[in-house]
């Protein structure tokens, strides 16, 4: 039987506010445990929440970016459950009346197709603390620094049919929130986490199959793996005549294993009700319009600009426009070297590969955009060849200085001096008299192939530094003689 | 000294008749002597009180005073006090010493008011008799075998027994007014949002409100002057003007329109209390007020509505008491679930557990609409009754409680009859209106209360109406003197 | 509406309160008394009535995004049941 996968995402995005959503504690990452957890965050008796306006503005910015309805009245609810990282015994969240209503996210696929994913709503809520399961003599340690960090939870409709679509959608959300500057988007620090709802159904069937939810995936890669694994599991179960149970699952990205966390029968009854410590948030159209008019450039706008201005393909443009730092990096490279094609190839190729292999994000790149631009400039002005440029790139990456410094220090400058090249050509010809004779006896087709042999030899002698254009010209000249 | 009102003590301190230290020592002495009988205090902070009194005396000497500088009062043990145990009447918080002050406490401290200690209360303010306190029952100074009312029973008894000239209380369904009525003192529950709830341990967040418990309306005005005002730490505190409540006290009552809700005089009201209330109303007529009968048709729904909303909110508010960050933790928990369930079983008393369970039930899947949502809708009907009534009247009057103080143990096995104690006080909390109880009679040696209900943020008028009555009568000056004498011996 | 013994167990488990088996009937009776009293609400037609969460129907004030709190870990953890290396300790949590 042919199966169709149905995927919906719930995405938690930490907002880049200075202070927490309901208290004046810092949200900075990486502090000593519980040094950023104060009376309100610790749920000390009698303490009360006061909402952070910036968190609200950030949520509205997201809503505007996906063309969603912004609800002029929204309320906070309490979601009741006991867990040590949830100090109040409930999470303050939004249930029936969220700040952001339905919206749409356009996703570009690598094959050039685009796909619309509907957003059901997005709401504001507080993050939980962290449980540290390292051994404290059989105990778990609780750090509440993260408790109360503002989040938006973005809930999609089940509009994705493949893990690739889910990943592209997730990347698009990442692009939107980082472009807006409402989140730092640091996945490794948990700034963006995904819950994935997956079901399968026989192709052509109208109704959805039973879905499972795999929680708390914190990388695109893990998300892709978890979906693939879950789809495979569900199909196996169904093809063996079994049934899928609604359950919450956990995927371990290290061991590549998923397991059930709790089934529906044990599912919590969260007893949502409006938080009586908070009042309805009422905003008017001028408030929303003021935010709209100050929105920074969005990825989609930037993508069309990249296509128009730099003549990039739609997919290349979407990759380069995805997050603000990548886009800014690319544009800086272009401004230095003035060649969009080369700039795009270097950023998406060499740079991205190197960053990925060292798990760095672009703002952590050891090569500044300025330096990469200068390196490309040296290719354009024939100071070095593209091949040598890769070697120079490595050196710049390793901190040996900028392109000019490395080229100078290592003597990698392309040889364009005609007398020097002439002597190299003559040298190669005199060492290969048979090939020269063969050349003279060959027809045009064969001759073209044989030119390659001579160029290769010359490049070898020059350690790749000979100007290939000039070598060709001189070689043709000399062989004619 | 202990027979004086706050207003008189303020004058005495200003004119140097006595110092704050002398006054504080005097009250500490009385507490030590008499409170073993009444049990109105959970903690007496003698050392801190004397230090505050010394500081107040220097403030007085330098002329940097407020009207209450140097006067000792008592705080209900629901208000967090930095460095002083704040138990909320519960074993759960028997070891809890908060590192912060409630906004109300902070305001009194800044005004140079001395704190004598923390008063006894029903556990987590859930009760109308003070019998649910982990720290034992409080005895009504008028009749030692009777309850003082609750939940601010310790605060009421302490003022009635003159162990403190005034105290703070909180009122979720009548917890200031009912004990004030049963102990023969003046108690004011302000408009919801008038006084900050920050640092006041929450029972039902949309109903809780702090207020003063005093001997006179004038004293309540002086206390409210300190307590009232918006607090940036409490989103539900309202940014409304805070007048000097003592300035309006003597306004003439001629033409004042008093509404008498017929629903407050039905079945269940003790005839003698009805008589006391009727005589008070006559007194108001002689002061120039106009009396109208009004109807608050949804009154009978108030207690059912309240017993869904308050436990529901409480069930979530009390989830933070989990044995992880502060407070009681059970011995040797086997696992996390055991830590939670045993800590909460052992740390909470029966009434608190009962209300948590009711609230959990009312909010649980499948019941929300029938209980919680329904109650919130009825809450609006109750509010609308008052809004309509206040189009025709300036103040509403009736009994505070259907009975005088009942005997200890009389209702402790019958929660529903205990809940009906608050039938006249609960509607005010649901509507968020200010309400007051003032002494209006003595029935078989026990006080009866007159309840005054005002419009939103109209505490000034309530205090004025109460004060004029107290100028014309002397019920508020009655004390359980003979009882106290007996205890002194 | 009335509550069964099994309901008591369920809500006690949701509320994380251990209830002794022997106490369940008594708790059920008491809660049923209260539910009986509360049932008078069901007779009221509230179809068009907007639920009221806050008595003043007031609007939320918002706070400026500023860090106003300083580290007070020592003071807060001085009153904690069990802490180590700045962490609150609980029995091992198995997810």
């Amino acid at each position: 039987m042919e199966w169709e996968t149905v995927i919906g995402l719930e995405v938690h995005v930490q907002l880049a506010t200075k202070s927490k959503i309901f208290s004046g504690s810092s949200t900075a990452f990486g502090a000593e445990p519980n040094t950023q957890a104060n009376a309100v965050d610790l749920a000390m008796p009698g303490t009360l929440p006061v909402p952070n306006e910036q968190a609200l503005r950030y949520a509205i910015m997201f809503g505007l970016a996906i063309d969603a309805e912004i609800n002029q009245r929204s309320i906070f609810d309490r979601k009741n459950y006991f867990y040590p990282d949830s100090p109040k015994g409930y999470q303050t969240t939004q249930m029936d009346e969220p700040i952001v209503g339905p919206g749409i996210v356009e996703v570009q696929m690598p094959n050039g197709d685009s796909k619309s994913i509907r957003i059901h709503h997005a709401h504001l809520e507080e993050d939980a603390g962290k449980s540290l399961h390292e051994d404290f003599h059989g105990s778990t340690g609780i750090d509440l620094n993260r408790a109360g960090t503002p989040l938006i939870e973005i809930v999609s409709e089940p509009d994705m049919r493949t893990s690739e679509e889910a990943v592209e959608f997730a990347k698009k959300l990442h692009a939107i929130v980082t472009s807006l500057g409402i989140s730092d988007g640091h996945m490794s620090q948990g700034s963006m986490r995904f819950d994935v709802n997956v079901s399968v159904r026989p192709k052509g069937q109208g109704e959805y199959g039973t879905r499972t939810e795999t929680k708390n995936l914190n990388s695109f890669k893990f998300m892709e793996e978890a979906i693939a694994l879950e789809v495979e599991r569900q199909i196996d179960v169904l093809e063996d005549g079994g049934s899928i149970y609604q359950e919450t699952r956990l995927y371990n990205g290290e061991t590549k294993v998923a397991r059930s966390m709790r089934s529906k029968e044990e599912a919590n009854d969260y007893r949502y009700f409006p938080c009586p410590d908070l009042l309805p948030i009422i905003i008017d159209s001028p408030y929303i319009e003021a935010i709209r008019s100050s929105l920074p450039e969005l990825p989609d706008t930037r993508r069309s600009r990249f296509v128009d201005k730099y003549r990039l393909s739609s997919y290349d443009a979407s990759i380069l426009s995805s997050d603000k730092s990548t886009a800014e990096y690319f544009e800086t490279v272009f401004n230095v070297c003035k060649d969009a094609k080369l700039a795009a190839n270097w950023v998406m190729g060499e740079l991205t590969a190197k960053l990925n292999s060292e798990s760095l994000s672009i703002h952590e790149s050891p090569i500044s955009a300025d330096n990469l631009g200068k390196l490309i400039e040296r290719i354009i002005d024939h100071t070095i060849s593209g091949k040598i440029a890769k070697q120079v790139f490595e050196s710049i990456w390793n901190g040996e200085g900028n392109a000019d410094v490395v080229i100078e220090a290592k003597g990698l400058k392309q040889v364009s001096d005609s007398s020097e090249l002439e002597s190299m050509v003559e040298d190669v010809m005199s060492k290969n008299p048979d090939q020269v004779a063969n050349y003279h006896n060959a027809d045009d087709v064969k001759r073209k192939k044989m030119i390659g042999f001579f160029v290769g030899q010359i490049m070898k002698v020059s350690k790749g530094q000979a100007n290939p254009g000039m070598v060709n010209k001189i070689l043709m000249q000399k062989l004619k003689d | 000294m202990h027979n004086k009102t706050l207003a008189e003590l303020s004058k005495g301190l200003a004119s140097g008749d006595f110092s704050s230290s002398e006054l504080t020592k005097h009250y500490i002495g009385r507490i030590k002597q008499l409170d073993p009988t009444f049990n109105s205090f959970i903690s007496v902070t003698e050392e801190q009180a004397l230090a505050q009194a010394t500081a107040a005396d220097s403030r007085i000497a330098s002329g940097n005073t407020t009207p209450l500088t140097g006067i000792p009062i008592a705080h209900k043990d629901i208000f967090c006090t930095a460095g002083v145990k704040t138990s909320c009447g519960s074993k759960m918080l028997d070891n809890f010493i908060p590192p912060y002050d409630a906004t109300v406490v902070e305001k009194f401290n800044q005004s140079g008011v001395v704190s004598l200690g923390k008063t006894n209360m029903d556990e987590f303010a859930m009760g109308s008799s003070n019998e649910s306190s982990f720290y034992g029952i409080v005895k009504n100074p008028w009749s030692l075998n009777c309850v003082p009312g609750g939940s601010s029973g310790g605060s009421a008894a302490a003022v009635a027994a003159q162990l403190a000239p005034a105290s703070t209380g909180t009122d979720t369904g009548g917890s200031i007014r009912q004990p004030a009525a049963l102990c023969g003192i003046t108690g004011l529950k302000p408009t919801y949002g008038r006084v900050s709830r920050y640092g006041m341990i929450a029972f039902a967040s949309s109903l809780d409100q702090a207020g003063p418990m005093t001997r006179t309306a004038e004293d309540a005005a002086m206390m409210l002057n300190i307590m009232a005002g918006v607090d940036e730490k409490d989103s539900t505190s309202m940014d409304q003007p805070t007048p000097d409540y003592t300035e309006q006290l003597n306004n003439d009552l001629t033409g004042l329109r008093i509404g008498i809700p017929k629903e407050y005089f039905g079945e269940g009201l003790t005839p003698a209390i009805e008589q006391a209330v009727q005589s008070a109303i006559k007194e108001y007529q002689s002061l120039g007020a106009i009396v109208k009968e009004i109807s608050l048709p949804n009154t009978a729904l108030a207690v059912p509505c309240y017993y869904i909303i308050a436990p529901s909110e409480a069930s979530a508010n009390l989830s933070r008491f989990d044995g992880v960050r502060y407070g009681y933790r059970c011995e040797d928990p086997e696992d996390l679930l055991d830590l939670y369930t045993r800590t909460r079983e052992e740390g909470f008393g029966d009434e608190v557990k009962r209300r948590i369970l009711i609230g959990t039930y009312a909010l649980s899947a499948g019941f929300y609409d029938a209980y919680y949502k329904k109650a919130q809708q009825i809450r609006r009907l109750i509010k609308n009754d008052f809004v309509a009534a206040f189009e025709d009247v300036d103040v509403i009057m009736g009994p505070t409680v259907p009975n005088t103080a009942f005997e200890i143990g009389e209702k402790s096995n019958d929660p529903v009859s205990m809940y009906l104690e608050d039938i006249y006080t609960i509607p005010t909390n649901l509507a968020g209106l200010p309400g007051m109880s003032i002494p209006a009679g003595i029935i078989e040696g026990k006080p009866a209360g007159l309840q005054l209900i005002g419009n939103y943020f109209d505490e000034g008028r309530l205090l004025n109406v109460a004060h004029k009555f107290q100028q014309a009568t002397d019920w508020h000056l009655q004390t359980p003197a003979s009882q106290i004498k007996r205890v002194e011996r | 509406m009335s509550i069964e013994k099994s309901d008591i167990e369920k809500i006690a488990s949701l509320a994380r309160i251990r209830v002794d088996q022997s106490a369940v009937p008594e708790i059920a009776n008491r809660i049923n008394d209260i539910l009986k009293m509360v049932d008078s609400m069901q007779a009221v037609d509230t179809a068009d009535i907007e639920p009221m969460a806050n008595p003043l129907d007031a609007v939320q004030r918002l706070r400026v995004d500023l860090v106003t709190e300083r580290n007070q870990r020592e003071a807060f953890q001085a009153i904690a049941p069990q802490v180590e290396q700045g962490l609150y300790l609980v029995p091992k949590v198995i997810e």
Side-chain angles (χ1 to χ4, degrees):
Chain A
M1 193 186 303
E2 212 182 327
W3 296 92
E4 181 180 51
T5 305
V6 175
I7 304 165
L9 253 55
E10 288 164 26
V11 183
H12 291 90
V13 179
Q14 283 186 344
L15 299 176
T17 55
K18 295 187 199 78
S19 66
K20 292 188 178 177
I21 185 167
F22 297 122
S23 84
S25 299
S26 169
T27 55
F29 182 83
E32 283 293 302
N34 293 307
T35 54
Q36 289 171 181
N38 287 286
V40 173
D41 318 312
L42 294 170
M44 285 284 156
T47 59
L48 296 167
V50 184
N52 182 338
E53 180 171 15
Q54 190 67 351
L56 175 76
R57 296 175 66 91
Y58 283 169
I60 294 172
M61 284 168 76
F62 174 75
L64 294 172
I66 61 159
D67 245 340
E69 211 171 288
I70 305 301
N71 293 318
Q72 299 201 350
R73 177 193 144 96
S74 63
I75 61 167
F76 284 108
D77 295 288
R78 292 183 179 178
K79 176 185 183 181
N80 293 285
Y81 67 95
F82 285 86
Y83 204 71
D85 64 15
S86 169
K88 297 192 294 292
Y90 55 83
Q91 180 193 29
T92 308
T93 179
Q94 298 188 306
M95 174 71 173
D96 287 333
E97 298 183 61
I99 179 69
V100 176
I104 290 270
V105 173
E106 293 292 338
V107 177
Q108 281 67 44
M109 300 301 295
N111 66 5
D113 289 354
S114 80
K115 169 137 187 164
S116 301
I117 309 294
R118 290 170 302 154
I119 300 298
H120 180 272
H121 77 271
H123 64 256
L124 274 168
E125 63 182 27
E126 59 185 341
D127 209 343
K130 280 182 187 165
S131 302
L132 301 158
H133 300 292
E134 291 99 71
D135 206 16
F136 290 97
H137 358 278
S139 298
T140 291
I142 308 294
D143 175 9
L144 295 170
N145 280 350
R146 196 179 68 177
T149 296
L151 298 175
I152 45 171
E153 181 176 336
I154 304 161
V155 180
S156 86
E157 296 286 357
D159 284 354
M160 287 148 277
R161 295 291 172 270
T162 63
S163 59
E164 294 75 37
E165 286 179 7
V167 168
E168 290 304 326
F169 169 68
K171 286 184 175 167
K172 187 58 177 285
L173 290 180
H174 187 268
I176 293 172
V177 299
T178 53
S179 298
L180 291 170
I182 64 174
S183 176
D184 62 25
H186 294 164
M187 312 275 292
S188 59
Q189 297 178 1
S191 294
M192 202 166 176
R193 280 124 53 196
F194 308 99
D195 298 345
V196 190
N197 290 297
V198 174
S199 65
V200 298
R201 61 180 170 188
K203 198 146 193 150
Q205 179 180 302
E207 67 196 76
Y208 295 129
T210 304
R211 65 186 162 87
T212 63
E213 181 179 30
T214 305
K215 272 196 168 319
N216 247 330
L217 300 161
N218 64 359
S219 83
F220 301 127
K221 184 164 150 263
F222 290 166
M223 190 174 97
E224 192 162 17
E225 291 168 359
I227 293 172
L229 199 64
E230 179 58 10
V231 167
E232 193 181 286
R233 185 190 71 88
Q234 290 192 12
I235 292 174
D236 281 353
V237 168
L238 292 170
E239 290 190 339
D240 284 350
S243 5
I244 303 301
Y245 299 99
Q246 198 172 328
E247 61 181 349
T248 304
R249 300 180 64 82
L250 278 182
Y251 175 72
N252 184 330
E254 305 300 318
T255 59
K256 312 288 176 209
V257 172
R259 62 176 171 85
S260 180
M261 198 171 145
R262 58 172 175 264
S263 69
K264 197 194 172 191
E265 293 83 78
E266 306 161 48
N268 229 320
D269 178 346
Y270 289 120
R271 290 157 284 135
Y272 286 94
F273 75 108
C275 179
D277 287 329
L278 294 164
L279 301 168
I281 294 180
I282 308 291
I283 47 174
D284 57 14
S285 315
Y287 186 87
I288 297 168
E289 290 317 309
I291 295 174
R292 193 194 302 277
S293 67
S294 64
L295 284 184
E297 187 180 40
L298 286 164
D300 281 347
T301 323
R302 194 154 52 215
R303 182 170 50 86
S304 0
R305 185 166 63 82
F306 281 14
V307 171
D308 293 347
K309 183 173 173 189
Y310 302 119
R311 303 281 148 209
L312 298 175
S313 76
S314 177
Y315 185 69
D316 286 0
S318 85
I319 288 179
L320 290 171
S321 61
S322 66
D323 68 65
K324 205 175 159 191
S325 17
T326 306
E328 279 171 0
Y329 192 102
F330 163 73
E331 294 208 274
T332 308
V333 174
F334 171 81
N335 287 335
V336 175
C337 74
K338 306 290 179 205
D339 185 321
K341 184 75 193 138
L342 274 177
N345 288 347
W346 275 87
V347 173
M348 293 191 305
E350 211 65 18
L351 180 71
T352 303
K354 192 79 184 164
L355 289 172
N356 287 347
S357 76
E358 303 203 2
S359 302
L360 294 174
S361 56
I362 199 156
H363 70 268
E364 298 164 314
S365 168
I367 302 192
S368 70
D370 210 46
N371 274 342
L372 182 58
K374 280 183 186 144
L375 173 64
I376 298 170
E377 217 181 354
R378 292 297 161 261
I379 302 172
I380 298 167
D381 68 11
H382 302 300
T383 306
I384 52 173
S385 66
K387 204 166 165 192
I388 290 292
K390 289 183 184 173
Q391 198 184 323
V392 178
F393 178 90
E394 285 290 330
S395 300
I396 306 175
W397 183 280
N398 295 330
E400 294 167 29
N402 67 22
D404 289 340
V405 170
V406 171
I407 293 166
E408 183 63 36
K410 299 206 162 178
L412 295 174
K413 200 167 172 190
Q414 191 158 268
V415 180
S416 301
D417 179 281
S418 43
S419 60
E420 204 174 325
L421 289 172
E422 268 176 43
S423 74
M424 275 186 209
V425 171
E426 281 163 10
D427 190 40
V428 167
M429 283 172 69
S430 64
K431 279 182 180 154
N432 297 285
D434 295 351
Q435 264 75 6
V436 174
N438 286 346
Y439 178 88
H440 284 128
N441 296 331
D443 59 18
D444 273 5
V445 182
K446 274 197 179 154
R447 280 186 174 187
K448 263 185 194 158
K449 279 188 187 161
M450 296 188 71
I451 289 284
F453 164 78
F454 291 112
V455 172
Q457 291 300 307
I458 293 158
M459 290 318 255
K460 211 168 168 184
V461 171
S462 71
K463 295 195 180 95
Q465 282 165 259
N467 180 327
M470 288 178 74
V471 167
N472 253 305
K473 218 187 253 172
I474 295 168
L475 192 60
M476 298 300 281
Q477 193 74 47
K478 297 271 175 198
L479 285 167
K480 254 184 217 164
D481 296 345
Chain B
M1 270 191 275
H2 56 265
N3 218 6
K4 290 182 161 44
T5 64
L6 291 186
E8 290 161 351
L9 290 173
S10 181
K11 285 195 194 98
L13 283 167
S15 60
D17 296 350
F18 44 80
S19 68
S20 173
S21 301
E22 284 164 343
L23 191 59
T24 303
K25 277 179 195 150
H26 177 74
Y27 278 109
I28 296 277
R30 276 185 71 78
I31 294 168
K32 282 183 175 166
Q33 184 194 4
L34 300 171
D35 206 45
T37 301
F38 300 120
N39 195 31
S40 64
F41 280 82
I42 290 173
S43 308
V44 180
T45 50
E46 179 174 1
E47 215 171 292
Q48 186 202 306
L50 293 174
Q52 285 180 320
T54 307
D57 283 329
S58 350
R59 265 180 85 161
I60 293 167
S62 69
N64 170 29
T65 60
T66 70
L68 294 188
T69 302
I71 294 179
I73 66 164
H75 289 299
K76 186 177 181 179
D77 206 21
I78 199 167
F79 293 99
C80 288
T81 40
V84 174
K85 177 171 107 173
T86 301
S87 74
C88 219
S90 183
K91 179 181 178 184
M92 188 62 93
L93 292 178
D94 184 45
N95 62 0
F96 179 61
I97 299 174
Y100 53 94
D101 277 323
T103 297
V104 163
V105 171
E106 194 178 283
K107 285 184 163 193
F108 278 113
N109 287 347
Q110 279 167 0
S111 299
V113 174
V114 174
S115 172
L116 294 166
K118 310 293 291 290
T119 59
N120 206 338
M121 57 181 285
D122 277 300
E123 184 180 7
F124 285 103
M126 297 179 187
S128 309
S129 68
N130 228 300
E131 291 166 294
S132 75
S133 171
F134 176 63
Y135 299 92
I137 52 173
V138 176
K139 290 182 176 157
N140 189 318
W142 293 82
S143 172
L144 294 178
N145 57 349
C146 285
V147 304
S151 65
S152 312
S155 286
V159 174
Q162 298 176 346
L163 307 182
S167 60
T168 53
T170 62
D171 189 316
T172 305
S175 284
I176 286 175
R177 291 160 290 158
Q178 185 255 13
L182 268 45
C183 290
I185 64 164
T186 297
L188 168 64
K189 179 203 93 76
T191 309
Y192 181 81
R194 173 84 289 182
V195 175
S196 170
R197 294 188 296 115
Y198 190 86
M200 186 178 115
I201 299 175
F203 163 14
S205 311
S206 77
L207 298 160
D208 297 343
Q209 185 60 200
M213 301 178 79
T214 54
R215 307 229 2 241
T216 69
E218 183 182 22
D219 288 0
M222 294 173 81
M223 292 276 282
L224 188 61
N225 275 349
I226 292 176
M227 298 172 82
V230 67
D231 179 7
E232 60 178 29
K233 290 192 274 190
D234 175 4
S235 299
T236 62
S237 69
M238 288 296 119
D239 195 1
Q240 290 278 333
T242 47
D244 179 347
Y245 292 105
T246 60
E247 277 181 3
Q248 311 165 56
L249 289 171
N250 288 301
N251 289 359
D252 190 68
L253 298 189
T254 306
L256 178 84
R257 299 168 302 165
I258 299 175
I260 309 296
K262 61 179 185 205
E263 292 81 4
Y264 284 43
F265 293 85
E267 199 189 334
L269 176 60
T270 305
I273 292 198
E274 179 166 0
Q275 277 166 25
V277 171
Q278 295 298 357
S279 342
I281 291 166
K282 284 207 184 74
E283 187 64 47
Y284 275 110
Q285 284 173 311
S286 72
L287 291 169
I290 302 155
V291 174
K292 294 184 177 189
E293 189 185 84
I294 59 164
S295 176
L296 300 167
N298 292 295
T299 300
L301 293 167
V303 172
C305 172
Y306 175 87
Y307 276 97
I308 291 300
I309 291 177
S312 296
E313 292 184 7
S315 73
N317 282 336
L318 271 60
S319 292
R320 65 188 58 197
F321 304 106
D322 59 6
V324 177
R325 297 165 311 286
Y326 48 79
Y328 180 75
R329 173 182 240 177
C330 68
E331 292 275 333
D332 302 323
E334 279 171 27
D335 54 23
L336 184 64
L337 190 65
D338 189 45
L339 166 69
Y340 284 148
T341 57
R342 213 145 46 79
T343 293
R344 291 164 62 78
E345 180 203 20
E346 294 165 10
F348 290 137
D350 287 344
E351 180 64 18
V352 170
K353 284 188 272 195
R354 186 151 51 231
R355 295 203 198 186
I356 292 174
L357 292 177
I358 293 168
T360 304
Y361 183 68
L363 291 173
S364 63
F367 298 105
Y368 181 88
D369 284 1
Y371 287 123
Y372 191 74
K373 187 178 168 204
K374 189 85 182 178
Q376 284 210 329
Q377 290 170 316
I378 287 175
R379 186 173 184 182
R380 187 173 295 280
L381 295 178
I382 289 165
K383 176 186 173 170
N384 291 347
D385 283 356
F386 281 107
V387 170
F390 277 115
E391 287 184 4
D392 296 324
V393 302
D394 303 310
V395 63
I396 292 171
M397 283 187 197
T400 309
V401 205
N403 319 290
T404 54
F406 51 91
E407 286 194 4
I408 290 164
E410 190 183 324
K411 299 188 181 190
S412 45
N413 283 317
D414 183 0
V416 172
S417 91
M418 184 84 86
Y419 295 172
L420 291 171
E421 266 293 290
D422 297 332
I423 188 162
Y424 306 135
T425 47
I426 279 175
T428 324
N429 296 82
L430 290 171
L433 291 164
M436 222 176 150
S437 181
I438 56 174
I442 290 174
I443 298 160
E444 291 168 9
K446 294 190 275 191
L450 170 72
Q451 183 175 212
L452 317 176
I453 300 168
N455 211 336
Y456 294 104
F457 297 101
D458 208 8
E459 288 82 3
R461 192 198 302 263
L462 272 190
L463 289 160
N464 162 225
V465 170
H467 179 70
K468 293 299 272 192
F469 182 77
Q470 293 182 340
Q471 295 298 99
T473 62
D474 67 353
W475 295 116
H476 63 294
L477 298 177
Q478 309 293 317
T479 60
S482 56
Q483 291 291 335
I484 295 171
K485 280 255 150 55
R486 209 180 300 157
V487 174
E488 278 171 351
R489 283 198 298 271
Chain C
M1 276 178 260
S2 79
I3 195 164
E4 306 288 324
K5 279 195 250 170
S6 61
D7 294 325
I8 299 288
E9 283 154 21
K10 192 189 127 208
I11 58 176
S13 144
L14 282 175
R16 297 290 188 274
I17 295 175
R18 201 183 80 92
V19 171
D20 215 59
Q21 272 302 317
S22 60
V24 171
E26 168 72 2
I27 295 171
N29 285 342
R30 294 232 172 161
I31 292 184
N32 272 326
D33 285 347
I34 295 161
L35 292 177
K36 213 180 295 163
M37 170 195 76
V38 160
D39 260 355
S40 62
M41 289 196 308
Q42 304 306 335
V44 184
D45 177 11
T46 52
D48 301 325
I49 311 294
E50 173 78 10
M52 187 171 92
N54 177 276
L56 301 175
D57 286 321
V59 168
Q60 182 63 49
R61 277 191 303 274
L62 299 166
R63 183 172 59 79
V64 176
D65 182 24
L66 283 176
V67 176
T68 52
E69 296 285 337
R70 62 200 163 77
N71 174 21
Q72 295 182 74
R73 183 172 81 180
E74 209 174 312
F76 287 122
Q77 295 200 337
I79 54 170
Q82 203 188 354
V83 288
E84 195 175 308
Q85 296 171 36
L87 298 161
Y88 293 94
L89 293 195
V90 297
K92 187 134 195 89
V93 175
I94 301 138
E95 275 195 329

